[in-house]
Amino acid sequence: MLVGCLTATLSVAASPQTKDSQPDVFLVTIDTLRADHVHCYGYERIQTPALDGLAKDGIRFAQAFTPSPITNTSHVSILTGLLPSSHGVVDFAVPLSPVHSSWAELLHQHGYHSAAFIGAVILDSKILAPGLDRGFDFYDNFPEHSKAKARWGRIERRGMDVVQRAEAWLSAHPQRPHFVWVHLYDPHDPYEPPAPYSQIYKDHLYDGEIAYADSALANFISYLKKSRWYENSLIVVVGDHGEGLGEHHEDTHGIFLYDSTTHVPLILKTPVRVTDVKLKVVEAQVRTTDILPTVLDLTRIPAPAKLDGESLTLYFTGTNADDSERTVFGETDYPLRFGWAPLRSVRMQGLKFIEAPRPELYDVLQDAAEVKNQYEPWNAQVQKFRAMLAQIRAKQPSPGNSRGSIGQGTIDELKALGYLGTADAGSATNVPEPSLLPDPKDKIEEQNLLHLAMIASEDGRADAAREFLRKVLQLDPKSPTALRQLGDLELQAGEYAESAQHLKAALEVHPDDATAAFHEGQALERTHDLAGARDVLESSLKLMPGQIDARLLLGQVYLALKNVKAAEDQFDAALLLQPSIEAQLVIAKARITAENFNEAAQQLVALSKSQPGNAKVFELLAEAYSGLGKKVEAQRAAARATLLRARK
Ligand SMILES: [Zn+2]
């Protein structure tokens, strides 16, 4: 409603509405960027000339808030103008429903050429952010099977890399108007800025990452100026969320809803044709859900019927700029990944209410650090805020059906980025009433340690990871996440007995964790507890029948237990799932190890016909013939294997 009437008040030095007269639109999201760590937001320990310059040319919103402290969810709110509970992308890998039109789709429908350049796999539309690529002509995902060891290129891209990819695309697609989204991931932990930022900011590396991201932004802005696209462009720069930096004991972000992770910088540079900008700094409280309605307003593109945000143009245009605040809602389901209560918040009229097992109320004007909890259940404001949250909840689609199904590969990528939780913890189907779950405030030290363990493990520092996980278990001996991680770590380290013990304990807490059961089976097989391995592998496959590696291992275990029939059943099932050469070779090898030479030889002879150039096939065939006492055939097969290897 408001959006419609705003368009009329906006003076646009405009020619008739044609594609050519439309401004280019550039969205730059800077990950993990606290407003109070940017120079033009009053922080003196950093240089951010690109952000400062944009603020000088545009409008700076001093009090902008994200509804979500975690990357995917907050980005989807920026791209749709909807609250998390409205768009439903409340966890990694949850697809954005086609019901919701995104920024790219809306502009694309009005003739915009669109492209997105992302800085981390967390926003890769193939795995962790399905649906975000809708409406983009080009979406710069990561390579599917990168063998690179380093993070760069495999799960993250440096800011300079991201902007150069965007610039190359723009140069190759000069036809206007453009909508380009650039995502700079750098300030996200671990904090490893390149030189010279690693030196200049060596005592506060988080700021070094921000300064580096700012230099990438500077590169992009100067490209736009050189291409003469800057003046007529609408540029939005916004943080997706902030960073705890130890406030409220939160090191990173995602669990809490304090201002440290929800107050973000928001800068908007309008096209020169918007001539009546009256205010350069907007002090009123606004939201990142207001960005899309503002962009639609400025480009005169009709807004979708349902948006949770509203255009911000009244704040900086016209003679009497608006100073009324917008009500900020906050939502985080990330604690659910660890089995802790999700949080909700309302920020309005100088107060912040956080709904939690132990609720909180802060006077954010007097107590900006949010440390003096004034919550009292009979407080009239609290009751009003609760009613507002209940209203949002009532409109929410039921959880469970909107959740993504997360595969093991995706889990590995999440871990590499420091996000974790057990494989099935994202499923909300068995979540008890929130109030019955632990308050994240009581668990934050565990979360910090789990995060550190994940990063250490990704960097190959197994001892450090082990130490962090043991500390978690001191705080909570039944932490399923720590038990599972420790079990996996010991499995990789070859400490099989210890691994099995941790995984068994993890399964006692989370009996539905099929992958934990598979891993326990691997550990038990290595300790020669064959019956134990058989039992957990059977139960793992009951939970998730499609695990080919678990089937192959179970077949091997049955062979070792001299149960040939059961083994063959597993092998048949594995080959039905995936009739690959690799699976065939595993089966042949298992048969040889179990001294089932006849079956092995038959299988390998058949395989040698379809794979006449595969040395491994003939190598195993030689072993099978040897076992059968067929010396001549064995020698012939071995010679063939040698020949094939030499040819390579
Ligand atoms: Zn983020």
Side-chain angles (χ1 to χ4, degrees), residues 453-570:
M454 221 32 32
I455 297 290
S457 174
E458 169 65 16
D459 291 348
R461 292 177 286 120
D463 283 342
R466 199 175 271 127
E467 207 44 51
F468 291 131
L469 292 169
R470 290 204 176 118
K471 281 186 189 155
V472 177
L473 292 179
Q474 280 165 15
L475 295 170
D476 177 7
K478 281 183 184 271
S479 161
T481 317
L483 289 165
R484 167 77 190 279
Q485 303 298 333
L486 207 47
D488 288 353
L489 197 82
E490 300 297 7
L491 183 63
Q492 271 162 20
E495 300 291 337
Y496 301 116
E498 272 211 51
S499 168
Q501 197 191 326
H502 292 309
L503 290 166
K504 183 168 188 269
L507 281 159
E508 276 163 19
V509 189
H510 262 214
D512 291 347
D513 190 343
T515 311
F518 170 40
H519 291 177
E520 192 195 348
Q522 286 179 304
L524 289 173
E525 192 262 346
R526 291 304 189 98
T527 60
H528 306 290
D529 178 356
L530 295 173
R534 175 197 59 205
D535 294 346
V536 283
L537 289 169
E538 286 282 10
S539 68
S540 173
L541 285 161
K542 227 171 248 144
L543 291 164
M544 213 197 280
Q547 303 172 87
I548 170 127
D549 291 336
R551 293 233 173 258
L552 289 171
L553 181 62
L554 182 56
Q556 286 162 298
V557 168
Y558 273 126
L559 279 184
L561 286 166
K562 309 272 181 239
N563 187 341
V564 178
K565 168 79 179 61
E568 294 300 330
D569 286 348
Q570 292 304 325

Side-chain angles (χ1 to χ4, degrees), residues 31-32 70-71 75 188 240-241 253 419:
D31 215 288
T32 322
I70 198 136
T71 305
H75 271 93
H188 196 285
D240 68 337
H241 52 74
H253 56 268
Y419 296 99

